[in-house]
Amino acid sequence: MFPLIDEPRLQSEPREGVPDVIDTLPAFRDYCDLLAAGTGSLAADAERASGYRYGHEDWLVQFKRTGAGIGLLDPQALAQAGADWNDFNRAVGDATWILHDSLQDLPGFADLGMEPHHLFDTEIAARLLGMHRFGLAAVTEHFLGLTLAKEHSAADWSYRPLPRDWRNYAALDVELLIELEQRMRTELKRQGKRDWAEEEFAYALHEGMGPRKEHPVPWLRISRITEIAKDRQALAVAKALWEKRDELARRFDIAPALLLSDFSIIEAAKRKPHNAAQFRAIRSINERVRIQSDAAQEKMFERYAPIQRKVKPSLWKSVIQQALDMPRSEWPTMPSSQPNNDESQTHAPRSIRYWKDRYPERLRTLEKARKVVQQIAVDTRTPAEIIIKPQYLRNLCWTDEPQKRDVAGFLKEQGARDWQVSLIAESVSRAIM
Protein backbone atom coordinates (compact mmCIF):
# COMPACT_ATOMS: atom_id res chain seq x y z
CA MET A 1 0.00 0.00 0.00
CA PHE A 2 2.78 2.42 0.94
CA PRO A 3 6.49 2.55 0.12
CA LEU A 4 8.51 0.63 2.68
CA ILE A 5 11.16 2.37 4.75
CA ASP A 6 13.85 0.11 6.22
CA GLU A 7 15.13 2.16 9.14
CA PRO A 8 13.99 5.73 9.90
CA ARG A 9 16.74 8.28 10.44
CA LEU A 10 16.54 10.97 13.09
CA GLN A 11 16.16 14.53 11.82
CA SER A 12 17.53 16.43 14.79
CA GLU A 13 17.98 19.87 13.19
CA PRO A 14 16.92 21.71 10.02
CA ARG A 15 19.36 21.19 7.16
CA GLU A 16 20.11 24.93 6.96
CA GLY A 17 20.52 25.35 10.71
CA VAL A 18 18.35 26.78 13.48
CA PRO A 19 17.03 30.24 12.57
CA ASP A 20 16.70 33.20 14.90
CA VAL A 21 13.31 34.66 15.71
CA ILE A 22 12.07 37.44 13.43
CA ASP A 23 10.70 40.11 15.77
CA THR A 24 11.57 43.46 14.14
CA LEU A 25 9.95 45.31 11.25
CA PRO A 26 13.06 45.30 9.00
CA ALA A 27 13.56 41.54 9.50
CA PHE A 28 9.87 40.92 8.80
CA ARG A 29 10.02 42.87 5.54
CA ASP A 30 13.20 41.09 4.51
CA TYR A 31 11.55 37.71 5.03
CA CYS A 32 8.49 38.81 3.07
CA ASP A 33 10.82 39.68 0.19
CA LEU A 34 12.35 36.20 0.38
CA LEU A 35 8.90 34.61 0.37
CA ALA A 36 7.86 36.67 -2.65
CA ALA A 37 10.94 35.47 -4.53
CA GLY A 38 10.40 31.87 -3.41
CA THR A 39 8.51 29.20 -5.28
CA GLY A 40 5.98 26.48 -4.61
CA SER A 41 3.95 25.71 -1.52
CA LEU A 42 4.28 27.35 1.89
CA ALA A 43 4.87 25.09 4.89
CA ALA A 44 3.25 26.61 7.98
CA ASP A 45 2.77 25.95 11.69
CA ALA A 46 2.12 27.87 14.91
CA GLU A 47 2.84 27.63 18.63
CA ARG A 48 0.64 28.88 21.44
CA ALA A 49 0.94 29.13 25.22
CA SER A 50 -2.58 28.02 26.12
CA GLY A 51 -1.33 25.82 28.95
CA TYR A 52 0.18 28.90 30.59
CA ARG A 53 -1.59 32.03 29.35
CA TYR A 54 -5.32 32.78 29.29
CA GLY A 55 -5.78 33.36 25.59
CA HIS A 56 -5.20 31.16 22.56
CA GLU A 57 -3.20 33.63 20.49
CA ASP A 58 -0.12 32.57 18.55
CA TRP A 59 3.23 33.33 20.13
CA LEU A 60 5.29 31.94 17.28
CA VAL A 61 4.45 31.23 13.64
CA GLN A 62 6.76 29.18 11.44
CA PHE A 63 7.05 29.08 7.66
CA LYS A 64 9.21 27.54 4.96
CA ARG A 65 9.20 28.05 1.21
CA THR A 66 11.64 26.91 -1.41
CA GLY A 67 14.10 29.74 -1.95
CA ALA A 68 13.12 31.53 1.26
CA GLY A 69 14.14 29.06 3.94
CA ILE A 70 12.57 28.79 7.36
CA GLY A 71 11.20 31.85 9.14
CA LEU A 72 10.29 31.89 12.82
CA LEU A 73 8.12 34.96 13.38
CA ASP A 74 7.05 36.45 16.71
CA PRO A 75 3.54 37.81 15.94
CA GLN A 76 3.18 39.60 19.28
CA ALA A 77 6.44 41.52 18.92
CA LEU A 78 5.72 42.22 15.26
CA ALA A 79 2.29 43.60 16.14
CA GLN A 80 3.91 46.06 18.53
CA ALA A 81 6.40 46.99 15.82
CA GLY A 82 3.56 47.76 13.41
CA ALA A 83 3.98 44.85 10.98
CA ASP A 84 1.25 44.53 8.36
CA TRP A 85 0.33 40.92 7.58
CA ASN A 86 -1.06 42.08 4.24
CA ASP A 87 2.59 42.42 3.20
CA PHE A 88 2.99 38.76 4.08
CA ASN A 89 -0.18 37.81 2.19
CA ARG A 90 0.99 39.60 -0.93
CA ALA A 91 4.39 37.93 -0.71
CA VAL A 92 2.87 34.46 -0.46
CA GLY A 93 0.18 35.09 -3.08
CA ASP A 94 -1.98 32.10 -3.94
CA ALA A 95 0.56 29.48 -2.86
CA THR A 96 -0.81 26.33 -1.24
CA TRP A 97 -0.33 26.33 2.53
CA ILE A 98 0.84 22.99 3.95
CA LEU A 99 -0.22 22.34 7.54
CA HIS A 100 -0.54 19.31 9.75
CA ASP A 101 -3.89 19.29 11.59
CA SER A 102 -4.81 22.64 10.07
CA LEU A 103 -7.88 23.27 12.25
CA GLN A 104 -5.51 23.78 15.18
CA ASP A 105 -3.64 26.63 13.50
CA LEU A 106 -5.93 28.27 10.94
CA PRO A 107 -8.03 30.16 13.53
CA GLY A 108 -4.91 31.83 14.90
CA PHE A 109 -3.74 32.70 11.40
CA ALA A 110 -7.14 34.24 10.73
CA ASP A 111 -6.90 36.31 13.92
CA LEU A 112 -3.55 37.69 12.78
CA GLY A 113 -4.90 38.62 9.35
CA MET A 114 -3.32 35.94 7.19
CA GLU A 115 -5.24 34.85 4.10
CA PRO A 116 -4.38 31.37 2.78
CA HIS A 117 -6.20 30.59 -0.47
CA HIS A 118 -5.36 26.89 -0.83
CA LEU A 119 -4.58 24.18 1.71
CA PHE A 120 -2.87 20.82 1.88
CA ASP A 121 -3.35 19.17 5.29
CA THR A 122 -0.93 16.30 5.84
CA GLU A 123 -3.00 14.86 8.68
CA ILE A 124 -6.19 14.80 6.59
CA ALA A 125 -4.22 13.19 3.78
CA ALA A 126 -2.83 10.55 6.15
CA ARG A 127 -6.34 9.70 7.37
CA LEU A 128 -7.68 9.45 3.82
CA LEU A 129 -4.82 7.14 2.97
CA GLY A 130 -5.85 4.80 5.78
CA MET A 131 -2.86 5.36 8.07
CA HIS A 132 -3.39 4.20 11.65
CA ARG A 133 -0.87 6.69 13.07
CA PHE A 134 -1.16 10.20 11.69
CA GLY A 135 0.89 12.44 13.96
CA LEU A 136 3.47 14.47 12.06
CA ALA A 137 6.41 12.39 13.28
CA ALA A 138 4.67 9.14 12.26
CA VAL A 139 3.78 10.50 8.81
CA THR A 140 7.27 11.81 8.06
CA GLU A 141 8.73 8.54 9.24
CA HIS A 142 6.44 6.60 6.94
CA PHE A 143 6.81 8.66 3.78
CA LEU A 144 10.29 10.13 4.15
CA GLY A 145 12.09 7.65 6.37
CA LEU A 146 12.82 10.44 8.83
CA THR A 147 11.71 10.74 12.43
CA LEU A 148 11.62 14.15 14.08
CA ALA A 149 13.19 15.14 17.37
CA LYS A 150 10.11 16.37 19.27
CA GLU A 151 10.56 17.51 22.86
CA HIS A 152 8.86 20.84 23.56
CA SER A 153 5.24 20.56 22.47
CA ALA A 154 3.96 21.61 25.92
CA ALA A 155 6.40 24.49 26.38
CA ASP A 156 5.43 28.03 27.33
CA TRP A 157 5.88 29.62 23.92
CA SER A 158 5.32 33.10 25.34
CA TYR A 159 8.70 32.84 27.11
CA ARG A 160 11.37 35.17 25.76
CA PRO A 161 14.02 34.82 24.57
CA LEU A 162 13.19 31.43 23.07
CA PRO A 163 15.92 28.91 23.86
CA ARG A 164 17.78 27.45 20.91
CA ASP A 165 16.36 23.96 21.33
CA TRP A 166 12.82 25.38 21.30
CA ARG A 167 13.57 27.22 18.06
CA ASN A 168 14.95 23.98 16.69
CA TYR A 169 11.75 22.16 17.62
CA ALA A 170 9.62 24.85 15.96
CA ALA A 171 11.71 24.84 12.79
CA LEU A 172 11.47 21.05 12.48
CA ASP A 173 7.67 21.37 12.36
CA VAL A 174 7.96 22.92 8.88
CA GLU A 175 11.28 21.50 7.72
CA LEU A 176 9.84 18.46 5.93
CA LEU A 177 6.31 19.53 4.99
CA ILE A 178 7.13 20.48 1.40
CA GLU A 179 8.67 17.08 0.65
CA LEU A 180 5.85 15.41 2.52
CA GLU A 181 3.22 17.15 0.41
CA GLN A 182 4.85 15.92 -2.78
CA ARG A 183 4.99 12.30 -1.61
CA MET A 184 1.45 12.32 -0.28
CA ARG A 185 0.00 13.88 -3.42
CA THR A 186 1.53 11.04 -5.40
CA GLU A 187 -0.02 8.44 -3.09
CA LEU A 188 -3.42 10.16 -3.09
CA LYS A 189 -3.41 10.10 -6.87
CA ARG A 190 -2.35 6.44 -6.93
CA GLN A 191 -5.25 5.49 -4.66
CA GLY A 192 -7.75 7.58 -6.61
CA LYS A 193 -8.35 9.92 -3.67
CA ARG A 194 -6.91 13.17 -4.98
CA ASP A 195 -10.30 14.79 -5.56
CA TRP A 196 -11.55 13.57 -2.18
CA ALA A 197 -8.57 15.22 -0.55
CA GLU A 198 -9.09 18.52 -2.35
CA GLU A 199 -12.69 18.67 -1.10
CA GLU A 200 -11.56 17.92 2.45
CA PHE A 201 -8.83 20.56 2.28
CA ALA A 202 -11.26 23.18 1.01
CA TYR A 203 -13.73 22.30 3.76
CA ALA A 204 -11.03 22.51 6.47
CA LEU A 205 -9.82 25.86 5.12
CA HIS A 206 -13.34 27.28 5.18
CA GLU A 207 -13.99 25.99 8.71
CA GLY A 208 -10.62 27.05 10.08
CA MET A 209 -10.74 30.58 8.70
CA GLY A 210 -14.34 31.17 9.77
CA PRO A 211 -15.55 32.65 13.06
CA ARG A 212 -14.49 30.77 16.17
CA LYS A 213 -17.20 28.52 17.55
CA GLU A 214 -17.71 29.14 21.24
CA HIS A 215 -19.23 26.60 23.60
CA PRO A 216 -22.83 27.63 24.35
CA VAL A 217 -22.38 26.88 28.09
CA PRO A 218 -18.64 27.31 28.77
CA TRP A 219 -18.58 26.02 32.35
CA LEU A 220 -19.89 22.65 31.17
CA ARG A 221 -16.45 22.06 29.65
CA ILE A 222 -15.16 21.18 33.14
CA SER A 223 -13.52 17.76 32.92
CA ARG A 224 -15.62 14.94 34.46
CA ILE A 225 -18.63 17.25 34.89
CA THR A 226 -20.91 14.29 34.16
CA GLU A 227 -19.90 12.78 37.52
CA ILE A 228 -22.07 15.37 39.26
CA ALA A 229 -24.74 15.70 36.56
CA LYS A 230 -27.55 14.52 38.86
CA ASP A 231 -26.52 16.68 41.84
CA ARG A 232 -27.79 20.18 41.14
CA GLN A 233 -26.19 21.71 44.23
CA ALA A 234 -22.85 20.22 43.22
CA LEU A 235 -23.35 21.76 39.79
CA ALA A 236 -23.94 25.12 41.49
CA VAL A 237 -20.60 24.82 43.29
CA ALA A 238 -18.77 23.76 40.12
CA LYS A 239 -20.31 26.57 38.07
CA ALA A 240 -19.42 29.20 40.70
CA LEU A 241 -15.81 28.01 40.96
CA TRP A 242 -15.43 27.88 37.18
CA GLU A 243 -16.79 31.41 36.73
CA LYS A 244 -14.55 32.89 39.44
CA ARG A 245 -11.53 31.01 38.06
CA ASP A 246 -12.24 32.28 34.55
CA GLU A 247 -12.65 35.86 35.77
CA LEU A 248 -9.30 35.76 37.59
CA ALA A 249 -7.48 33.97 34.78
CA ARG A 250 -8.63 36.57 32.28
CA ARG A 251 -7.60 39.41 34.59
CA PHE A 252 -4.11 38.02 35.27
CA ASP A 253 -3.54 36.46 31.81
CA ILE A 254 -2.85 33.01 33.16
CA ALA A 255 -4.23 29.64 32.13
CA PRO A 256 -7.28 28.87 34.31
CA ALA A 257 -5.96 25.41 35.21
CA LEU A 258 -2.89 27.05 36.80
CA LEU A 259 -5.17 28.75 39.33
CA LEU A 260 -7.48 25.82 40.06
CA SER A 261 -7.62 22.43 38.37
CA ASP A 262 -10.80 20.86 37.05
CA PHE A 263 -10.09 17.96 39.39
CA SER A 264 -10.25 20.33 42.37
CA ILE A 265 -13.50 21.86 41.15
CA ILE A 266 -15.19 18.46 40.86
CA GLU A 267 -13.82 17.31 44.21
CA ALA A 268 -15.08 20.45 45.97
CA ALA A 269 -18.47 20.11 44.26
CA LYS A 270 -18.80 16.52 45.44
CA ARG A 271 -17.73 17.20 49.05
CA LYS A 272 -19.57 20.53 49.51
CA PRO A 273 -17.43 21.70 52.45
CA HIS A 274 -19.56 23.60 54.99
CA ASN A 275 -16.81 24.67 57.39
CA ALA A 276 -13.10 25.43 57.51
CA ALA A 277 -12.09 21.93 58.57
CA GLN A 278 -13.98 20.30 55.71
CA PHE A 279 -12.49 22.79 53.28
CA ARG A 280 -8.92 22.17 54.50
CA ALA A 281 -9.52 18.45 54.02
CA ILE A 282 -9.71 19.05 50.26
CA ARG A 283 -5.97 19.10 49.79
CA SER A 284 -5.94 19.87 46.07
CA ILE A 285 -7.82 23.15 46.46
CA ASN A 286 -5.44 24.37 49.18
CA GLU A 287 -2.19 23.82 47.28
CA ARG A 288 -0.64 25.86 44.51
CA VAL A 289 -0.92 24.21 41.12
CA ARG A 290 2.48 23.07 39.82
CA ILE A 291 3.82 21.70 36.56
CA GLN A 292 6.02 18.63 36.78
CA SER A 293 8.58 18.84 34.01
CA ASP A 294 12.29 19.20 33.42
CA ALA A 295 14.23 21.64 35.56
CA ALA A 296 14.47 24.32 32.87
CA GLN A 297 10.76 24.32 32.19
CA GLU A 298 9.90 24.36 35.89
CA LYS A 299 12.14 27.40 36.29
CA MET A 300 10.22 29.17 33.51
CA PHE A 301 6.95 28.11 35.09
CA GLU A 302 7.95 29.84 38.34
CA ARG A 303 7.28 33.22 36.75
CA TYR A 304 3.57 32.44 37.20
CA ALA A 305 3.98 31.72 40.91
CA PRO A 306 3.45 35.37 42.02
CA ILE A 307 0.10 35.39 40.22
CA GLN A 308 -0.88 32.10 41.81
CA ARG A 309 0.02 33.40 45.27
CA LYS A 310 -2.37 36.33 44.82
CA VAL A 311 -5.28 33.89 44.70
CA LYS A 312 -5.64 32.59 48.25
CA PRO A 313 -7.51 29.37 49.14
CA SER A 314 -9.85 31.49 51.26
CA LEU A 315 -11.22 32.98 48.03
CA TRP A 316 -12.31 29.54 46.80
CA LYS A 317 -13.81 28.82 50.21
CA SER A 318 -15.90 31.99 49.95
CA VAL A 319 -17.08 31.08 46.44
CA ILE A 320 -18.09 27.61 47.57
CA GLN A 321 -20.01 28.98 50.55
CA GLN A 322 -21.91 31.44 48.38
CA ALA A 323 -22.89 28.61 46.04
CA LEU A 324 -24.03 26.44 48.94
CA ASP A 325 -26.17 29.31 50.24
CA MET A 326 -28.00 29.66 46.92
CA PRO A 327 -31.71 28.78 46.96
CA ARG A 328 -32.63 25.55 45.21
CA SER A 329 -34.48 27.52 42.52
CA GLU A 330 -31.14 28.98 41.33
CA TRP A 331 -29.25 25.69 41.07
CA PRO A 332 -28.24 24.94 37.48
CA THR A 333 -29.17 21.80 35.59
CA MET A 334 -27.35 19.78 32.98
CA PRO A 335 -28.87 20.00 29.51
CA SER A 336 -30.82 16.94 28.49
CA SER A 337 -28.67 14.33 26.78
CA GLN A 338 -31.62 13.05 24.79
CA PRO A 339 -33.28 14.91 21.92
CA ASN A 340 -36.78 16.25 21.85
CA ASN A 341 -39.02 14.93 19.09
CA ASP A 342 -38.78 18.17 17.16
CA GLU A 343 -34.97 17.96 17.26
CA SER A 344 -34.74 14.40 16.02
CA GLN A 345 -33.33 15.22 12.60
CA THR A 346 -30.12 16.73 13.89
CA HIS A 347 -29.72 15.57 17.49
CA ALA A 348 -29.70 11.78 17.43
CA PRO A 349 -28.26 10.40 20.69
CA ARG A 350 -24.82 8.83 20.71
CA SER A 351 -25.68 6.20 23.30
CA ILE A 352 -26.36 2.92 21.53
CA ARG A 353 -27.85 1.59 24.77
CA TYR A 354 -30.49 4.32 24.55
CA TRP A 355 -31.27 3.27 20.97
CA LYS A 356 -31.45 -0.37 22.00
CA ASP A 357 -33.69 0.24 25.00
CA ARG A 358 -36.05 2.83 23.49
CA TYR A 359 -35.88 2.54 19.70
CA PRO A 360 -34.70 -0.93 18.63
CA GLU A 361 -36.21 -0.51 15.15
CA ARG A 362 -34.14 2.58 14.54
CA LEU A 363 -31.06 0.77 15.81
CA ARG A 364 -31.59 -2.00 13.28
CA THR A 365 -31.76 0.58 10.52
CA LEU A 366 -28.59 2.23 11.82
CA GLU A 367 -26.78 -1.12 11.89
CA LYS A 368 -27.70 -1.72 8.25
CA ALA A 369 -26.36 1.68 7.26
CA ARG A 370 -23.18 1.15 9.26
CA LYS A 371 -22.60 -2.24 7.68
CA VAL A 372 -22.76 -0.73 4.20
CA VAL A 373 -20.38 2.09 5.11
CA GLN A 374 -17.98 -0.36 6.71
CA GLN A 375 -17.88 -2.44 3.53
CA ILE A 376 -17.18 0.68 1.47
CA ALA A 377 -14.42 1.52 3.94
CA VAL A 378 -12.82 -1.88 3.38
CA ASP A 379 -13.19 -1.64 -0.38
CA THR A 380 -11.63 1.81 -0.58
CA ARG A 381 -9.08 1.29 2.21
CA THR A 382 -10.41 4.38 3.95
CA PRO A 383 -11.52 4.60 7.61
CA ALA A 384 -15.32 4.54 7.98
CA GLU A 385 -15.31 7.72 10.09
CA ILE A 386 -13.55 9.53 7.23
CA ILE A 387 -16.03 8.27 4.67
CA ILE A 388 -18.89 9.78 6.65
CA LYS A 389 -19.15 11.41 10.05
CA PRO A 390 -20.84 8.85 12.36
CA GLN A 391 -23.26 11.47 13.71
CA TYR A 392 -24.63 12.05 10.21
CA LEU A 393 -25.60 8.38 9.95
CA ARG A 394 -27.16 8.44 13.42
CA ASN A 395 -29.19 11.50 12.48
CA LEU A 396 -30.33 9.86 9.26
CA CYS A 397 -31.58 6.73 11.01
CA TRP A 398 -33.10 8.45 14.04
CA THR A 399 -36.54 9.07 12.54
CA ASP A 400 -39.20 6.39 12.12
CA GLU A 401 -39.15 6.31 8.32
CA PRO A 402 -35.63 7.16 7.11
CA GLN A 403 -36.26 5.06 4.00
CA LYS A 404 -38.52 7.87 2.76
CA ARG A 405 -35.72 10.40 2.95
CA ASP A 406 -33.64 11.76 0.12
CA VAL A 407 -30.44 10.34 1.60
CA ALA A 408 -28.12 12.34 -0.61
CA GLY A 409 -29.92 15.59 0.14
CA PHE A 410 -30.04 14.86 3.87
CA LEU A 411 -26.30 14.11 4.08
CA LYS A 412 -25.47 17.30 2.21
CA GLU A 413 -27.62 19.31 4.63
CA GLN A 414 -25.73 17.70 7.50
CA GLY A 415 -22.42 18.85 6.08
CA ALA A 416 -21.15 15.86 4.11
CA ARG A 417 -18.89 16.69 1.19
CA ASP A 418 -19.85 15.80 -2.39
CA TRP A 419 -17.36 12.94 -2.60
CA GLN A 420 -18.82 11.37 0.54
CA VAL A 421 -22.38 11.69 -0.71
CA SER A 422 -21.62 10.23 -4.13
CA LEU A 423 -19.68 7.38 -2.52
CA ILE A 424 -22.29 6.14 -0.06
CA ALA A 425 -25.73 7.69 -0.63
CA GLU A 426 -27.04 5.15 -3.13
CA SER A 427 -25.81 2.12 -1.17
CA VAL A 428 -27.11 3.44 2.14
CA SER A 429 -30.49 4.22 0.54
CA ARG A 430 -30.84 0.61 -0.64
CA ALA A 431 -29.72 -0.75 2.74
CA ILE A 432 -32.31 1.12 4.80
CA MET A 433 -35.30 0.63 2.47
Side-chain angles (χ1 to χ4, degrees):
M1 180 177 177
F2 299 112
L4 297 177
I5 301 297
D6 293 332
E7 185 71 28
R9 306 185 312 277
L10 176 66
Q11 181 87 25
S12 58
E13 286 192 4
R15 300 181 186 98
E16 298 180 9
V18 180
D20 292 326
V21 174
I22 295 171
D23 55 8
T24 66
L25 203 53
F28 173 74
R29 288 171 175 164
D30 287 345
Y31 189 64
C32 286
D33 290 341
L34 289 173
L35 288 172
T39 59
S41 299
L42 177 76
D45 192 52
E47 308 294 347
R48 290 164 291 279
S50 53
Y52 298 84
R53 309 293 284 261
Y54 180 81
H56 299 284
E57 63 271 14
D58 292 339
W59 285 91
L60 189 74
V61 288
Q62 309 102 277
F63 302 100
K64 181 180 181 180
R65 194 179 193 190
T66 301
I70 294 176
L72 305 181
L73 285 66
D74 182 337
Q76 305 303 320
L78 290 173
Q80 293 181 2
D84 184 352
W85 286 100
N86 286 318
D87 294 339
F88 181 92
N89 293 330
R90 284 189 289 269
V92 173
D94 63 354
T96 295
W97 291 46
I98 316 168
L99 287 93
H100 189 84
D101 192 7
S102 60
L103 290 179
Q104 292 292 317
D105 296 329
L106 287 173
F109 291 159
D111 289 344
L112 289 171
M114 300 181 196
E115 298 176 351
H117 297 290
H118 306 283
L119 173 69
F120 186 99
D121 188 318
T122 51
E123 183 188 46
I124 291 175
R127 290 175 181 269
L128 281 169
L129 292 171
M131 292 187 65
H132 299 295
R133 296 169 58 231
F134 33 78
L136 180 58
V139 177
T140 56
E141 181 177 322
H142 185 90
F143 282 96
L144 304 176
L146 296 170
T147 183
L148 298 171
K150 308 292 285 179
E151 300 171 352
H152 301 290
S153 59
D156 177 6
W157 289 95
S158 68
Y159 186 84
R160 293 296 182 272
L162 285 176
R164 183 185 186 279
D165 56 336
W166 290 25
R167 289 185 281 116
N168 181 63
Y169 168 96
L172 285 174
D173 274 339
V174 294
E175 166 74 356
L176 302 174
L177 288 181
I178 295 172
E179 298 157 73
L180 195 55
E181 178 203 15
Q182 295 168 351
R183 296 286 183 89
M184 298 187 87
R185 281 193 185 279
T186 299
E187 186 61 22
L188 287 166
K189 182 178 179 181
R190 191 186 74 80
Q191 291 193 24
K193 299 176 179 178
R194 183 176 58 183
D195 292 342
W196 299 3
E198 291 300 336
E199 281 195 56
E200 289 301 305
F201 299 156
Y203 178 80
L205 182 59
H206 178 268
E207 289 293 298
M209 296 300 290
R212 290 183 183 266
K213 297 177 181 178
E214 303 295 336
H215 194 289
V217 189
W219 66 271
L220 288 178
R221 294 178 299 180
I222 299 171
S223 301
R224 298 167 46 226
I225 189 69
T226 54
E227 293 181 12
I228 58 173
K230 297 181 180 180
D231 185 340
R232 291 182 60 204
Q233 189 175 39
L235 289 174
V237 172
K239 178 176 182 287
L241 286 171
W242 185 94
E243 290 177 342
K244 176 54 71 172
R245 181 184 71 172
D246 190 70
E247 173 196 327
L248 295 170
R250 184 187 297 270
R251 183 194 311 170
F252 295 125
D253 190 15
I254 187 172
L258 294 185
L259 295 180
L260 186 67
S261 69
D262 282 7
F263 174 84
S264 298
I265 290 177
I266 295 299
E267 187 175 9
K270 286 180 176 179
R271 293 199 188 187
K272 304 184 189 71
H274 288 276
N275 55 50
Q278 291 175 354
F279 178 78
R280 286 194 300 270
I282 306 176
R283 185 174 178 179
S284 65
I285 208 170
N286 285 277
E287 296 179 344
R288 182 166 67 91
V289 177
R290 298 193 61 83
I291 289 181
Q292 300 301 321
S293 184
D294 59 79
Q297 192 165 333
E298 284 194 22
K299 182 178 179 181
M300 295 174 188
F301 168 67
E302 281 301 310
R303 67 185 176 139
Y304 296 98
I307 298 175
Q308 292 176 312
R309 293 189 187 103
K310 290 181 181 179
V311 182
K312 308 295 184 183
S314 58
L315 183 146
W316 305 125
K317 181 176 180 295
S318 175
V319 171
I320 293 170
Q321 190 58 56
Q322 290 174 20
L324 293 176
D325 291 341
M326 288 173 55
R328 182 184 296 269
S329 60
E330 295 181 14
W331 292 351
T333 57
M334 290 282 285
S336 173
S337 60
Q338 306 306 338
N340 298 321
N341 289 335
D342 60 349
E343 296 177 331
S344 59
Q345 282 193 12
T346 55
H347 295 81
R350 294 186 178 186
S351 171
I352 295 302
R353 178 181 293 275
Y354 184 82
W355 288 64
K356 184 177 181 180
D357 292 344
R358 303 286 187 91
Y359 297 92
E361 313 84 12
R362 296 181 182 183
L363 178 58
R364 284 191 287 271
T365 302
L366 177 61
E367 288 172 342
K368 291 177 184 178
R370 282 177 163 176
K371 184 177 180 180
V372 166
V373 170
Q374 187 57 50
Q375 186 58 56
I376 295 173
V378 172
D379 293 342
T380 62
R381 294 177 299 178
T382 310
E385 67 272 14
I386 300 300
I387 287 176
I388 193 68
K389 189 175 181 179
Q391 186 63 39
Y392 296 170
L393 275 190
R394 287 192 290 265
N395 292 343
L396 173 67
C397 300
W398 181 238
T399 51
D400 290 324
E401 296 182 311
Q403 65 275 14
K404 293 185 178 181
R405 285 193 181 281
D406 170 10
V407 172
F410 180 85
L411 292 177
K412 285 184 179 180
E413 289 175 0
Q414 291 283 294
R417 269 66 78 197
D418 288 343
W419 74 268
Q420 296 172 314
V421 174
S422 62
L423 185 65
I424 73 166
E426 186 175 342
S427 298
V428 169
S429 295
R430 287 198 301 266
I432 65 177
M433 288 182 67

